[in-house]
Amino acid sequence: MSDRRILVTSALPYANGPIHLGHLVEYIQTDIWVRFQKQRGNTCYFVCADDTHGTPIMLKADREGITPEQLINQIGKEHLADFTEFGVDFDNYHSTHSEENKFFSSLIYTRLRDAGHICSRTITQAFDPVKNMFLPDRFIKGDCPKCGATDQYGDGCEVCGSTYSPTELKNAVSAISGEKPIEKDSVHYFFNLADFTRMLTEWTSAGHLQVEVRNKLAEWLDSGLQQWDISRDAPYFGFEIPDAPGKYFYVWLDAPIGYMASFKNLCDKQGLDFDEFWAKDSSTELYHFIGKDIIYFHALFWPAMLSGARFRTPSAIFAHGFLTVNGEKMSKSRGTFITARTYLEQLNPEYLRYYFAAKLNAGVDDIDLNFDDFSQRVNSDLVGKVVNIASRCSGFISKRFASTLSAACSEPALFQEFTGTNGQIAEFYETREFGKAMREIMALADKANQYIDEKKPWLIAKQEGKDTELHDVCSMGINLFRLLAAFLRPVIPALAKEAESFLNIGPQNWPTADTQPLLSQAINAFKPLMTRVEADKIAAIVEASKENLEKLTTQIKRDAKYCVSTKFEPIADIIEFDDFAKLDLRIAKIIKAEHVEGSDKLLQLTVDIGDETRNILAGIKSAYAPEDLEGRLTLVIANLAPRKMRFGTSEGMVLAAGPGGKDIWILSPDKGAIAGMRVK
């Protein structure tokens, strides 16, 4: 095995709230990959940090009556505690609010500025007239200017992935006061991203990205790169720009620089050579594991910044999908999450590590946490297959053979079959095809259990003169368990460590074709290595997270594509009567209904709402033919802002209910209603 020199990072968690299970997909995925590299004998450093700057941190600290520094220190300790209990083993965990990060942020900025890649100009910004402050991007919400999706943030769309200026957002409101922002001028500083179009075109096509990510970036590159606003106005919690008093680095500029800062902090602690990993001509490997929602920042801005500042660019960026719970996306910003701490209070963290590994692949697909599947998979694979092998064999070794394994390997071909899979399993780990690795390992576990079932040591033990055979069979079972524990060590390190203690051996390196069985090995008393998932523990997690899980409901979508709910769901967030009173609900008569060319979901309805007619696009085609609707009365929201869609403009919303498909029912009033009547 070659001694590769590798630096690995995970995206930095924001220091304004707890770690949730959605976050852990990334950190567990990264940790598994890093542990595998170390087990293979490679030099691999894993660094991360809390992302600590920005207006949200400042505002939250103000609400809690503490300083931003106190807030981020408190959150940082909580984050690291959660990561540690989930077995995420960073070589260094730091903070972006550090001297190292301040130094590198200023250095990169000045190098970019001196090379002509920074400019400044007066821009018009969104300003909250109530709070008397410029609004950061994430504190403005409205409709995406690219795809029209509602309730999107001011810096990027979670639906189509586009980034844009907050002033481009449609129907924008301040997320702080709820008021419509006013426009106000301010001098801002920009990074000329377009200067790096050729460099980025070459870099993104050179194998550094997953295919689906590369294709998405090609779309962005083809549409032209825009200048990136890297400054924010006071009040702001962050680093002041060196040559611009009162202006601060936008959090997304100094956040990825936190990778460098955390590694520099580690270098200073351990006497490592920083330049070996970050110099422009570095021959080491650098990998970033990130969520697919921050690809734009990591695969365009970040390599451009590094290149312009004369640092090396990443060897690869590995993006992953979101975690869903019963098909619903988790979102910390929307409060729809099960926290890591809530899970830890009830269940073994290695259950989740294994479950994620079994679901993860090299792509960017979302993975779903289904607790029924979770229980079945953990109980069947880890408890019923892997741990069961040691449990079935250890008692005989302890009671009949003084806790010492046989001096001979009775099944060398079977042992070599297990060791011979090391290359394939290693390849799956290396390429982040963890699900395939787990299936391969569990296939081996099935073979080990089949071997024990066929040999039936419990029957051999009852026969006279069969001690040697019993000893050999049980010792073989223990040796196969040992290999399984070694293959699973990156995924379930705590269980692997307990297995090593049971086997009376040190930390296992990655098995090879030359790995030999343990012979005449004294082992320790077997203790249950893992217990089954208990249903009441899962119920406790769900109950403790009920307030959060109930927010995983489908909010009314203004886009007609989603004008009906597709499943029965819990009650959405409670609203005040004044909010409900803003809705202008009208009885409407459907004057005309017709198919929408090119759409398999929409009907175009012309409705009379009393004082005018409206054109509404409604996603009810699966349940209604146009001729079934004409002349009917229904209920519409009349004061919904017009929505420009792919197939035209919709000027309202028809209310309907049902689980979907043919089971959709538009709401119809009782007799006596006439078009134009308001619902009271």
Side-chain angles (χ1 to χ4, degrees), residues 150 236 297 310 334 483 549 559 613 635 641 660:
T150 61
Y236 194 80
F297 295 100
R310 302 190 301 281
R334 299 178 192 277
L483 292 175
L549 288 174
D559 184 344
T613 59
L635 189 64

Side-chain angles (χ1 to χ4, degrees), residues 250-263:
Y250 174 41
V251 61
W252 262 111
L253 181 129
D254 69 61
I257 296 173
Y259 303 142
M260 304 174 77
S262 183
F263 185 65

Side-chain angles (χ1 to χ4, degrees), residues 637-648:
I637 301 176
N639 62 336
L640 201 60
R643 166 56 55 80
K644 186 175 182 181
M645 300 170 61
R646 176 184 173 189
F647 299 104

Side-chain angles (χ1 to χ4, degrees), residues 289-326:
F289 285 75
I290 64 166
K292 63 182 179 181
D293 56 329
I294 53 175
I295 287 170
Y296 200 101
F297 295 100
H298 279 80
L300 290 179
F301 295 154
W302 180 231
M305 287 167 54
L306 289 170
S307 177
R310 302 190 301 281
F311 287 105
R312 62 91 47 83
T313 53
S315 304
I317 295 173
F318 302 135
H320 60 82
F322 299 122
L323 177 70
T324 61
V325 178
N326 294 328

Side-chain angles (χ1 to χ4, degrees), residues 61-101:
D62 183 64
R63 288 195 304 271
E64 296 186 6
I66 58 178
T67 66
E69 289 82 2
Q70 290 172 316
L71 174 66
I72 62 176
N73 287 338
Q74 171 189 320
I75 295 294
K77 291 176 182 177
E78 293 171 359
H79 283 181
L80 186 55
D82 287 345
F83 287 138
T84 300
E85 289 192 51
F86 270 97
V88 180
D89 189 21
F90 299 110
D91 289 285
N92 197 56
Y93 194 80
H94 204 37
S95 167
T96 59
H97 193 64
S98 66
E99 287 303 315
E100 296 93 344
N101 204 34

Side-chain angles (χ1 to χ4, degrees), residues 238-250:
F239 296 137
E240 199 168 36
I241 298 176
D243 58 356
K247 303 292 179 178
Y248 293 79
F249 287 128
Y250 174 41

Side-chain angles (χ1 to χ4, degrees), residues 25-37:
V25 171
E26 178 171 313
Y27 301 98
I28 289 174
Q29 181 190 36
T30 315
D31 184 73
I32 290 171
W33 197 80
V34 168
R35 285 179 182 273
F36 165 72
Q37 298 297 341

